[in-house]
Amino acid sequence: MANHAEFDAFVETIAKLRAPDGCPWDREQTHASIAHNMIEEAYEAVDAIEAHDAAHLREELGDVLLQVVLQSQIAADAGEFTIDDVCRDINEKMVRRHPHIFGEVQALTPEEVTDIWDAVKMREREAAMGEAAGAEKPDGLLDGVPTSFPALMQAQKISRKAVAVGFEWPDEAGVWAKVAEEIEEFKEAETPEDRELEFGDILFALVNVARWNGVDAENALRATCAKFRRRWSFMEGAAWARGERLEDLSTDEQEELWQQAKAHEREVAEAREA
């Protein structure tokens, strides 16, 4: 493969910005001061992906890379690690977690690959616990799930980790039974606090339903939000076209526009397939 001269040049640019005679703003940044930028840039890249906007995605991936390289340079200046360490660690991890490519393990389906990935991660955790034996308490199974994740994403990660150690229903019927149980407990809750907790249990149970069916719950809900936005925008446009405001319409009139929005989506989908 070709040398990545542009990557090396970019790393040098960030190092110069952080140098004693570099940019005053860049020099004073810390891991914590720009942590929020990592999240924002990642979400903007996802927006570009979902919009199928390759040009915008190219730009946003650059912004994500900026965060990685800048954080690495901050670490290098503090004597913690370098961008080379970051690249080396992730390369070793990818090789280690793909024994079906770089080793003798067989995997023919994405599901088998996922099982291998989870198994390797468990072995890594067990090895880390072995190294920590006799020292301080090792990290728990769920400690690696960032609490800064969106709640739905947290639920998915927690669920997968628990399943990896055998905490699982024997069949999908058991998962649906759990959903039904949580709904009944929500109905029986007597205080606002209890209702909130029980509703959270319903959502967590539904995340497990999604996992059993190979559905990414976070992506599914994002897609539904996007669909609702499109339909609502159509409704507002339709109301505006006839000189009305959507909020001034009756429930029946709003429902009629909602059905029109759904019909419009079907027509657009059929036109694309034609």
Side-chain angles (χ1 to χ4, degrees):
M1 295 180 65
N3 292 328
H4 297 286
E6 297 298 338
F7 178 78
D8 293 337
F10 179 53
V11 171
E12 291 178 8
T13 296
I14 299 303
K16 183 172 179 58
L17 291 175
R18 288 276 301 173
D21 60 344
C23 172
W25 184 90
D26 288 280
R27 288 203 315 268
E28 73 175 11
Q29 298 312 307
T30 65
H31 290 310
S33 69
I34 57 172
H36 65 282
N37 291 348
M38 185 77 74
I39 297 174
E40 291 175 4
E41 301 299 355
Y43 274 119
E44 289 179 5
V46 171
D47 283 343
I49 291 171
E50 294 180 345
H52 304 288
D53 188 338
H56 191 200
L57 176 59
R58 174 178 171 175
E59 176 186 353
E60 295 302 339
L61 289 178
D63 290 340
V64 172
L65 182 60
L66 166 61
Q67 299 308 311
V68 174
V69 175
L70 182 53
Q71 286 282 1
S72 297
Q73 187 61 49
I74 291 171
D77 294 340
E80 298 167 342
F81 58 83
T82 69
I83 186 64
D84 289 332
D85 295 323
V86 172
C87 293
R88 183 183 307 107
D89 289 349
I90 189 59
N91 183 59
E92 291 176 353
K93 179 188 290 185
M94 293 305 290
V95 171
R96 190 169 62 247
R97 293 188 179 179
H98 289 80
H100 53 293
I101 301 299
F102 303 102
E104 303 301 324
V105 178
Q106 294 289 323
L108 301 177
T109 67
E111 292 75 20
E112 290 176 343
V113 172
T114 299
D115 290 341
I116 290 172
W117 181 278
D118 288 339
V120 174
K121 288 176 65 176
M122 283 302 302
R123 288 197 295 272
E124 291 173 352
R125 179 173 179 272
E126 290 167 0
M129 291 177 66
E131 293 174 1
E136 61 184 38
K137 179 181 178 294
D139 290 342
L141 177 67
L142 305 182
D143 290 343
V145 180
T147 56
S148 59
F149 274 3
L152 199 58
M153 189 181 297
Q154 280 192 62
Q156 292 184 133
K157 295 285 188 179
I158 289 170
S159 176
R160 277 192 60 186
K161 285 181 174 288
V163 167
V165 297
F167 194 67
E168 175 68 297
W169 286 271
D171 52 43
E172 188 179 346
V175 191
W176 281 111
K178 186 63 176 176
V179 172
E181 174 189 326
E182 299 297 354
I183 290 175
E184 288 305 313
E185 291 180 1
F186 173 76
K187 292 177 179 178
E188 295 170 3
E190 297 181 352
T191 68
E193 294 78 13
D194 286 344
R195 282 192 289 274
E196 182 175 287
L197 289 173
E198 296 300 342
F199 190 75
D201 289 345
I202 294 172
L203 294 177
F204 195 91
L206 287 171
V207 164
N208 282 292
V209 172
R211 176 176 55 77
W212 267 81
N213 288 274
V215 173
D216 185 296
E218 179 76 18
N219 287 344
L221 187 55
R222 285 176 61 83
T224 293
C225 288
K227 178 172 63 177
F228 191 95
R229 284 172 177 266
R230 288 194 306 271
R231 292 178 180 177
W232 192 262
S233 178
F234 178 93
M235 292 166 64
E236 288 178 326
W240 178 83
R242 60 194 200 192
E244 298 172 320
R245 297 191 309 168
L246 193 57
E247 54 267 39
D248 295 333
L249 302 181
S250 67
T251 301
D252 288 342
E253 290 172 323
Q254 290 178 347
E255 176 61 24
E256 179 183 351
L257 289 180
W258 178 262
Q259 294 303 323
Q260 290 180 19
K262 292 174 63 176
H264 175 72
E265 280 191 348
R266 287 194 296 270
E267 292 171 1
V268 171
E270 290 171 357
R272 288 175 179 170
E273 294 174 358

